[in-house]
Amino acid sequence: MIVMVKEPRPGRVKTRLGREIGTVTAAWWYRHQTRRLLRRLSDARWQTILAVTPDSEGFKSRVWPPGLRRISQGTGNLGQRMTRALRSTPGPTLLVGSDVPGIERQHVAAGFSALGRARSVIGPADDGGFWLVGLLHPQRPPRSLFRGTRWSHPETLADALPTLPRPVATVDTLADVDTASDLR
């Protein structure tokens, strides 16, 4: 399981949320949310990998728990960075966002179980995006993976779905946090 994380610096993480509640408060929320998420999802059934950005700071950061493998997100749009992260693993892989307070171990287990029946899996988000994507064969993603996907848009999920290998399984819909109203 790969968790996409950003170095929690004010003004560089959760910028939309920061415009509403302040950049320091948004960075504080993100840092604590991500640490809670990583503790909650720790499980012997899967390895947790952090896909970090910015690359140099993410590798040196003492913010994230020690002992977790870290890989670079690299450059490009979100789809290019997610594809790169997925390709870094040899077997069935899930990739999740770090700003989804409702993710529990059973959601991750359901995602891996779905990859036993499908070549890809997706977890829709309440806002039209997705909080989880997984591939049975991540080292061989289709060239069209995430191509044409509009990010941070109400149609993100609709854009991404046709780019995933078929068949696609779906898991629970969860909410991510982008704005102050999402915190409630």
Side-chain angles (χ1 to χ4, degrees):
M1 174 189 65
I2 299 171
V3 181
M4 301 287 282
V5 298
K6 279 187 173 182
E7 184 68 15
R9 298 219 186 247
R12 292 173 67 185
V13 66
K14 302 310 299 172
T15 54
R16 283 190 286 166
L17 179 62
R19 284 193 292 272
E20 297 179 47
I21 68 171
T23 59
V24 172
T25 304
W28 180 91
W29 176 84
Y30 178 77
R31 176 182 180 161
H32 291 278
Q33 152 58 29
T34 303
R35 289 182 67 93
R36 284 189 305 268
L37 178 94
L38 293 171
R39 278 194 303 273
R40 200 170 55 249
L41 297 184
S42 177
D43 197 294
R45 294 175 287 178
W46 51 78
Q47 177 186 19
T48 301
I49 301 168
L50 300 180
V52 299
T53 190
D55 301 344
S56 60
E57 291 176 37
F59 276 96
K60 295 183 288 187
S61 177
R62 295 175 197 219
V63 170
W64 311 126
L68 293 179
R69 180 177 158 211
R70 298 174 192 202
I71 60 174
S72 167
Q73 286 187 25
T75 61
N77 68 35
L78 182 57
Q80 292 164 329
R81 291 179 293 150
M82 290 190 325
T83 300
R84 188 176 302 113
L86 286 163
R87 278 191 186 138
S88 73
T89 61
T93 302
L94 300 179
L95 185 143
V96 299
S98 50
D99 61 351
V100 185
I103 303 174
E104 301 288 345
R105 284 186 191 113
Q106 69 263 19
H107 294 113
V108 175
F112 278 116
S113 178
L115 288 177
R117 307 181 303 276
R119 292 182 57 215
S120 58
V121 61
I122 198 148
D126 285 342
D127 63 2
F130 55 92
W131 62 271
L132 171 146
V133 65
L135 298 178
L136 183 61
H137 303 289
Q139 291 185 325
R140 299 184 311 238
R143 288 191 175 157
S144 63
L145 187 64
F146 305 125
R147 190 165 289 151
T149 300
R150 294 169 284 179
W151 300 105
S152 299
H153 189 276
E155 299 297 320
T156 298
L157 175 64
D159 291 347
L161 267 174
T163 74
L164 297 174
R166 299 284 184 240
V168 179
T170 303
V171 294
D172 291 342
T173 299
L174 296 178
D176 61 354
V177 174
D178 295 317
T179 65
S181 65
D182 297 337
L183 286 174
R184 295 180 191 98

